[in-house]
Amino acid sequence: MNVLIIGNGGREHALAWKVKQSKRLNKLYIAPGNAGCSEVGECIDLNMNNIPSIIRWAKQNDIDFVIPGPEAILVEGIVDAFLEAGIKAFGPTKAAAELEKSKVFSKDLMRHNGIPTADYAIFEQYEFAIDYIDSITEDGPIVVKADGLAAGKGAIVCKNHEEAKEALTRCMVDHEFGEAGGKVVVEECLVGEELSVLALTDGKTIAPLASSQDHKAIFDDDKGPNTGGMGAYSPAPLMTEKLLDQVIEDVLVPTVHAMNNCGKRFKGVLYAGLMITKSGPKVLEYNVRFGDPETQPIMMRLDTDILDLLEAVCDGKLSEMDINWKDEAAVCVVMSSGGYPSKYPKGIEIKGLGEVSEKKDNAVVFHAGTKEKGNKVVTDGGRVLGVTALGSDIPQAIENAYAAVNKVNFEGAHFRTDIAKKALKRL
């Protein structure tokens, strides 16, 4: 099977690393990929946002199966385009991808189908949104969300009314998130612990993947601005069997049914970002693709041929599959550029990559924002590397991950020192 993975982040490197292990693989391409992807497949210099050119290339190179990574191209309908071209592609159609594209759509879908989520109101006019904030009697935390895609930065948690108004100004007046902020969702701030639930679904069968938990804030103890994610671990002790059953019954099943009922059958990865509150799990948001950095530890633990799984989703045969997991735990520590998530430099040489050995260190350095420059690997993004390690348990995986992190360095490198520490409280 000739496989094309589309994207250039840590998620795509982790997927490529896992696809490389498939007995069914003939040739693996990643477009455009990064410096790490080139170690497991052939990187192709294609603009991943130019869907027609990717389709043409795929036809010319006898691609059998496509795995698009980023949400933006799923929202643009890349799966539809491949299906029309007669090439099998994993992921939701453009219609189904609206679940992530529009916070308004997803919140209304939850409300109308009894899926637990925060109370909310929707606004298209700035003045009405401001009036709504003023009408709230308690000057407590409020969440302001841009309706559209905003690279993981469109959900702004505000401590009080003043900050909420500032967030509305950023979205609706300053247009910080472009068209994504044309509409906003203003919702109550849920209290609890966040948890990621990723599940494969073909629209009939739902198969949850190994539990995971990510860390979005830039600094230790969840301080500072939100990022795309500074680390993740799997399994998450917070996800008990009882809680998983509840999430399946109250969130995953009704979501898949609701999408079917509105003519947007969902195939692919259904990602529910949850807040585990005192009254149970509530949905913060949906994603329609593999999470980053959750994919890194999940792929490290997956013990089933990934191509078999993903093709079964496309063919509507997920019910015939068993998903096996390694007993080990996995921890991913993201190393970011100095200044991220604000302005940061690029082109800084990364040293020590060759010092980390999968066999010796039980770790893999998944590249995110990197590129090759001559015979050097340099930084090319905010989140640069996702150093991911296995261990017999969470404490051992933490130790292995940070031991590997300490072998790699670049000027200005930043990483959190407390990834997976919250899991230790539950062991």
Side-chain angles (χ1 to χ4, degrees):
M1 181 182 284
N2 294 331
V3 178
L4 171 64
I5 295 175
I6 304 173
N8 61 354
R11 164 184 51 221
E12 287 76 33
H13 186 189
L15 289 168
W17 174 83
K18 195 64 188 177
V19 168
K20 182 68 174 179
Q21 300 168 25
S22 174
K23 295 177 180 178
R24 301 179 59 199
L25 179 68
N26 177 43
K27 185 76 175 179
L28 174 60
Y29 301 95
I30 308 98
N34 56 42
C37 292
S38 64
E39 297 175 359
V40 292
E42 182 178 342
C43 290
I44 306 299
D45 188 18
L46 292 173
N47 180 353
M48 61 181 167
N49 296 310
N50 188 335
I51 295 176
S53 69
I54 295 177
I55 299 291
R56 286 194 298 271
W57 184 92
K59 285 183 175 180
Q60 292 166 1
N61 289 272
D62 298 321
I63 296 300
D64 302 298
F65 194 68
V66 182
I67 307 171
E71 61 272 22
I73 54 176
L74 292 168
V75 163
E76 287 301 314
I78 195 166
V79 168
D80 309 65
F82 273 113
L83 294 178
E84 289 172 10
I87 300 173
K88 197 174 291 187
F90 174 83
T93 61
K94 182 176 183 177
E98 190 174 4
L99 193 61
E100 178 168 0
K101 177 186 178 182
S102 172
K103 297 291 191 296
V104 170
F105 171 81
S106 66
K107 292 293 289 190
D108 283 348
L109 180 127
M110 286 185 270
R111 173 175 283 173
H112 296 151
N113 291 276
I115 299 166
T117 189
D119 287 338
Y120 68 98
I122 296 166
F123 298 95
E124 295 186 52
Q125 295 186 32
Y126 174 74
E127 294 79 9
F128 291 169
I130 292 292
D131 289 344
Y132 177 76
I133 297 293
D134 286 335
S135 72
I136 301 173
T137 54
E138 185 178 344
D139 189 17
I142 301 172
V143 180
V144 175
K145 293 181 177 179
D147 174 49
L149 299 181
K153 301 177 181 66
I156 306 168
V157 180
C158 311
K159 296 177 183 177
N160 49 46
H161 288 189
E162 182 180 353
E163 287 190 9
K165 292 178 181 180
E166 290 174 0
L168 288 172
T169 301
R170 289 169 60 188
C171 288
M172 307 184 83
V173 178
D174 298 339
H175 306 295
E176 183 175 325
F177 306 110
E179 293 181 4
K183 293 181 183 179
V184 297
V185 175
V186 180
E187 66 179 38
E188 67 169 321
C189 185
L190 297 175
V191 178
E193 192 169 339
E194 287 191 45
L195 188 62
S196 305
V197 177
L198 285 74
L200 297 178
T201 180
D202 57 9
K204 300 181 296 182
T205 300
I206 299 170
L209 300 178
S211 63
S212 61
Q213 200 163 11
D214 74 340
H215 301 66
K216 291 184 174 64
I218 187 71
F219 300 124
D220 285 11
D221 299 319
D222 295 329
K223 300 291 178 62
N226 275 352
T227 71
M230 292 301 296
Y233 60 94
S234 176
L238 177 59
M239 180 58 85
T240 61
E241 287 188 22
K242 181 180 179 181
L243 179 57
L244 178 59
D245 289 341
Q246 186 178 1
V247 169
I248 292 171
E249 181 178 349
D250 295 347
V251 175
L252 298 182
V253 169
T255 300
V256 172
H257 281 321
M259 293 297 285
N260 287 342
N261 290 339
C262 67
K264 302 174 187 285
R265 179 175 174 177
F266 194 98
K267 287 186 175 184
V269 177
L270 176 60
Y271 173 134
L274 305 174
M275 182 69 79
I276 310 305
T277 72
K278 290 182 179 179
S279 59
K282 295 187 177 184
V283 179
L284 295 169
E285 64 177 1
Y286 292 109
N287 293 328
V288 299
R289 34 68 189 184
F290 284 104
D292 191 346
E294 295 96 336
T295 301
Q296 288 86 311
I298 287 174
M299 289 300 109
M300 289 281 280
R301 295 189 62 220
L302 181 61
D303 205 21
T304 298
D305 190 310
I306 189 171
L307 289 183
D308 288 343
L309 283 177
L310 302 191
E311 190 173 34
V313 170
C314 295
D315 294 342
K317 297 180 179 179
L318 186 57
S319 62
E320 300 174 13
M321 297 298 301
D322 291 320
I323 307 180
N324 299 312
W325 302 96
K326 295 176 182 176
D327 291 333
E328 296 156 290
V331 170
C332 170
V333 179
V334 170
M335 301 181 73
S336 66
S337 296
Y340 176 77
S342 297
K343 292 182 179 180
Y344 52 84
K346 293 183 179 182
I348 299 173
E349 182 181 359
I350 305 170
K351 299 178 180 179
L353 291 170
E355 300 298 314
V356 180
S357 164
E358 185 175 345
K359 290 184 178 180
K360 181 180 177 182
D361 301 304
N362 222 7
V364 177
V365 180
F366 292 117
H367 292 227
T370 70
K371 69 177 182 180
E372 293 178 287
K373 187 176 182 180
N375 60 354
K376 298 178 180 179
V377 176
V378 300
T379 64
D380 193 43
R383 290 185 296 162
V384 178
L385 304 169
V387 183
T388 310
L390 289 170
S392 57
D393 51 21
I394 290 286
Q396 186 63 58
I398 292 173
E399 183 177 332
N400 291 346
Y402 280 103
V405 165
N406 290 329
K407 294 183 178 183
V408 181
N409 64 87
F410 54 91
E411 186 179 346
H414 167 76
F415 58 88
R416 285 181 54 160
T417 64
D418 65 344
I419 300 300
K421 292 290 177 64
K422 62 180 66 174
L424 301 181
K425 301 174 183 178
R426 300 181 180 275
L427 298 178

